[in-house]
Amino acid sequence: MKAHRALVIVCLAAACDTSTGGNNGIDAGEPDAKKFEDAPPVVEGQFTLSGRTYERGLGGETAVSGVTLEVYASSDESKVIKSAMSNQAGEFSMTIMTTGPLDGYILAKKTGYVDVYMYPTEPFEENFTDAAINMITPSNKDFLNSLAGGMQMPGMGLVGLQVRDAAGNPVMGATVSSNPASGAYKYTGSNGLPASGATSTSMDGVAFMFNVPTNAPVMVTASKSGLTFKAHPIKARGDKMTVTSVTE
């Protein structure tokens, strides 16, 4: 069975919020397979998804408790397969029973924050025990749009992603694309903040897609000379946040 090296924890981006005193950054979690060393053994017919929910400011990370985490199959978005709630430390864990790989996503939601939809690069089927979900407020989402110059329109989708190589490391100098096309593709600058003039990924490998077509599958991928990246489908929701990764 394949290890889910990238459960897509590209979670939101650089924005200021006076309520948290700071500047939210993207955290892709640890990209290599070390996170699986202490994971519980995989049991045939089940796997574990666990991690933490937090908010990042200039003073560091603050745990966000009371976040509801729900797992859905892409083929049936009306049925919650499994749910959990983050505790006071922002930690959560859930065991998924399955008869095979699960083509689905995780929804993280809490009043006062933007709903975050997290898509893996391939169907879930192995334990993943280090999901770090950066929650974002609506004001931070708006500030992200302002910094990046995304010209985000009401009712359209917003996607944050990280480009990674085969070893799970962020890729610098890559460009991202989607099919159908998004309205704008933006990147972070050398300071880690969204930069309207950046034309490719910086050292963090982070990119954003603004005005993404909603409620239908969108294929996302990346390009860089000498590397070949895999495309995979996601779905963007109007006025929500979707996060994923693109890998070799």
Side-chain angles (χ1 to χ4, degrees), residues 204-230:
D204 59 14
V206 170
F208 304 96
M209 298 179 177
F210 291 89
N211 293 316
V212 183
T214 59
N215 299 321
V218 174
M219 298 296 292
V220 295
T221 191
S223 300
K224 182 180 179 179
S225 178
L227 299 177
T228 301
F229 296 96
K230 301 172 186 175

Side-chain angles (χ1 to χ4, degrees), residues 69-113:
L69 295 306
E70 298 175 341
V71 178
Y72 293 84
S74 296
S75 60
D76 186 358
E77 299 183 348
S78 66
K79 180 182 178 181
V80 179
I81 293 175
K82 192 74 173 183
S83 65
M85 182 172 289
S86 60
N87 62 20
Q88 285 298 111
E91 299 167 342
F92 68 90
S93 181
M94 45 190 158
T95 299
I96 313 297
M97 307 303 295
T98 178
T99 56
L102 172 62
D103 181 9
Y105 58 88
I106 300 173
L107 167 60
K109 58 184 181 179
K110 181 180 180 178
T111 300
Y113 293 88

Side-chain angles (χ1 to χ4, degrees), residues 23 25 30 43 65 69 91 99 118 123 137 151 184 196-197 217-218 231:
N23 163 20
E30 296 180 12
V43 177
S65 62
L69 295 306
E91 299 167 342
T99 56
M118 298 174 58
T137 63
M151 303 292 287
S196 60
V218 174

Side-chain angles (χ1 to χ4, degrees), residues 160-172:
L161 55 84
Q162 185 182 50
V163 182
R164 298 177 173 179
D165 62 19
N169 301 309
V171 174
M172 183 177 183

Side-chain angles (χ1 to χ4, degrees), residues 89-183:
E91 299 167 342
F92 68 90
S93 181
M94 45 190 158
T95 299
I96 313 297
M97 307 303 295
T98 178
T99 56
L102 172 62
D103 181 9
Y105 58 88
I106 300 173
L107 167 60
K109 58 184 181 179
K110 181 180 180 178
T111 300
Y113 293 88
V114 176
D115 290 351
V116 178
Y117 291 80
M118 298 174 58
Y119 281 84
T121 56
E122 58 186 11
F124 298 118
E125 62 176 315
E126 287 281 2
N127 291 334
F128 189 92
T129 59
D130 192 30
I133 304 177
N134 188 355
M135 304 298 291
I136 184 169
T137 63
S139 60
N140 278 0
K141 177 173 172 284
D142 291 341
F143 191 58
L144 161 65
N145 176 47
S146 177
L147 282 178
M151 303 292 287
Q152 183 72 6
M153 299 175 62
M156 299 298 288
L158 173 60
V159 174
L161 55 84
Q162 185 182 50
V163 182
R164 298 177 173 179
D165 62 19
N169 301 309
V171 174
M172 183 177 183
T175 57
V176 298
S177 60
S178 65
N179 186 19
S182 300

